Amino acid sequence: MATPKTPDEHSVGYVEPKSVRFDHKLELARAETSLPHYELVYETYGTLNEQRNNAILICHALSGDHHAAGIHRDTGTVGWWDNCIGPGKPIDTDRFYVLSLNNLGGCSGSTGPTSINPDTNQPYGGDFPTVTVPDWVNTQKELADHLGIERFAAVVGGSLGGMQAMQWAIDYPERVANALLIASAPKLSAQNIGFNEIARSAIERDPDFIAGETPKTGLALARMIGHVTYLSEVGMAGKFGRKFQENQAQSTKEPMFAVQSYLRYQGNKFVDRFDPHTYILMTKSLDYFDPAEAYGGDLVETFRRATARFLVVSFTSDWRFSPQRSAEIVDALISAGCSVSSAVVESADGHDSFLLDSPRYFEILRNYLTNVADNL
C-alpha cells in the first residue's frame, strides 16, 4: 500500500471542503423546470486581502471537482491541479486567494443527479434538469457574493473550465479583471459532439443503466473513449508503443497491450468515483456551449461586452481542442478590441497537457499572474 502523501513547503497543506446552501429558486437557461434551492461545495486556498481584490476562481473541466489543490484531510487525495496551485507555484497562494468549487450538477457534493429530489424523496438521477455554462457562471457568481468577492483578479480554466472563464468575461465583465482560457474553444465542433454522443450512448445502452442500476461497463467505456481523445498519437506511441503489459494474470487467454491495460484501468477507476447521470449532464453542457448564439452567431460582437484582459493558451498536440480553435478566440478578441496575450505550447501530451507540469506552460502562467499580482 502506498504511503499517503504529506504536505511540503509548496503545498497549501491539508484541506477540507466547505459548503453553502442557497435557499432561493434557481431558473435555468435551457430547462423547463427550476431548482427550489441548491448547494455548492468548494475549497479555498490562501488569504483574501483587505481590498478583497486578489481572488482567483478556478473552473473545473468535465470530470473535475472542488478539490483542486492540497491534500484532503479525510481521504488523503491530492488536488487535481496541485502541481499548479500553492505557495510559489504558478497560481501562487502567497499572493492570491484561490476559490475552487464543484459545479452545479456535479457528483462531489454540489446539488446534482445524486442529490435528493424534494418532490420524490429519491435521488434525481436522470430527472435532474439540464444545466449550461451560463447556469454555472450564475451560481459561481452567487458563491462569490456569499464570500464577499465583488471582482476576481482572474478566472482560470482549462477545457470546459476555459469555456466558463470565457462566459464570465461576457456575462459579468465588471467582475473579471483577467480571463485565462486554456486548451479551450468558442464552441464544440461536430466531431467533438460526436465523441460525446458515443460516450453517452455507451452509458445509456448499458443494460444495468436501463434497469436503474450503476452502468459499470458503460461508464468505464465512456471514460475510455474520452480518455483516448485527451491523449495524442505521439504521446501514446512514446508511452506505450506496441508493448505488452507485464505481469498479466495467468487466466488471460491472449497477451494484452500496455495501452489496453492502461485504458481499462482508467475506465474502472472512474466508475468508483463518478456518477453516470453527471457524466451525461456534463457532456451535454459541453455540447450546448456557444456564447455567440445569443448575439447572432457573431463571436466578435459577443466579445465586445468583455473588458477583461485575456490569456489564451493551447497545445500543439491537442487535437480535441486544437490550437486552431484557440486562434478563433484570439482573432475574435482582437477584432473586438480586447486586450489579449496568447501562446501555443509545444507538447506531446494532447489535451491532457493543460493539467501537466510543462516548464514553458507553467512559466507562461507564472509570468502572467505575477503581472496580475503586481498590479492589484
Side-chain angles (χ1 to χ4, degrees), residues 131-153:
V131 295
T132 63
V133 171
D135 294 325
W136 287 335
V137 169
N138 288 336
T139 54
Q140 291 162 4
K141 181 254 185 190
E142 294 278 350
L143 178 58
D145 290 344
H146 171 76
L147 296 173
I149 301 169
E150 295 184 0
R151 190 169 191 249
F152 284 107

Side-chain angles (χ1 to χ4, degrees), residues 24 26-27 29 38 57 59 132-145 149-155 163-179 291 295 302-310:
H24 59 75
L26 177 65
E27 300 292 343
Y38 65 98
L57 174 65
C59 302
T132 63
V133 171
D135 294 325
W136 287 335
V137 169
N138 288 336
T139 54
Q140 291 162 4
K141 181 254 185 190
E142 294 278 350
L143 178 58
D145 290 344
I149 301 169
E150 295 184 0
R151 190 169 191 249
F152 284 107
V155 180
M163 294 174 173
Q164 295 165 63
M166 192 186 314
Q167 194 77 54
W168 258 101
I170 295 163
D171 289 354
Y172 295 103
E174 74 285 356
R175 302 193 64 159
V176 185
N178 294 270
Y295 303 97
T302 305
F303 281 138
R304 291 196 196 283
R305 285 144 185 80
T307 58
R309 294 178 296 275
F310 288 83

Side-chain angles (χ1 to χ4, degrees), residues 6 14 22 32 37 53 72 80 91 102 159 161 172 182 229 245 283 317 321-322 353 359 361 365:
T6 56
Y14 291 109
F22 295 94
E32 296 180 357
H37 52 75
N53 67 351
H72 196 286
W80 56 266
I91 301 176
N102 181 217
S159 191
Y172 295 103
I182 307 166
T229 70
Q245 180 66 19
T283 55
S317 60
F321 289 78
S322 69
S353 298
Y361 166 42
L365 294 185

Side-chain angles (χ1 to χ4, degrees), residues 68-90:
I71 301 172
H72 196 286
R73 189 174 294 278
D74 294 332
T75 65
T77 56
V78 179
W80 56 266
W81 217 10
D82 186 71
N83 58 353
C84 190
I85 302 170
K89 293 179 181 179

Side-chain angles (χ1 to χ4, degrees), residues 88-129:
K89 293 179 181 179
I91 301 176
D92 190 348
T93 52
D94 285 337
R95 308 193 73 178
F96 292 108
Y97 176 73
V98 180
L99 168 64
S100 177
L101 77 157
N102 181 217
N103 279 338
L104 184 73
C107 55
S108 297
S110 292
T111 299
T114 60
S115 303
I116 299 299
N117 183 341
D119 294 334
T120 64
N121 290 320
Q122 299 293 322
Y124 277 101
D127 291 331
F128 194 80

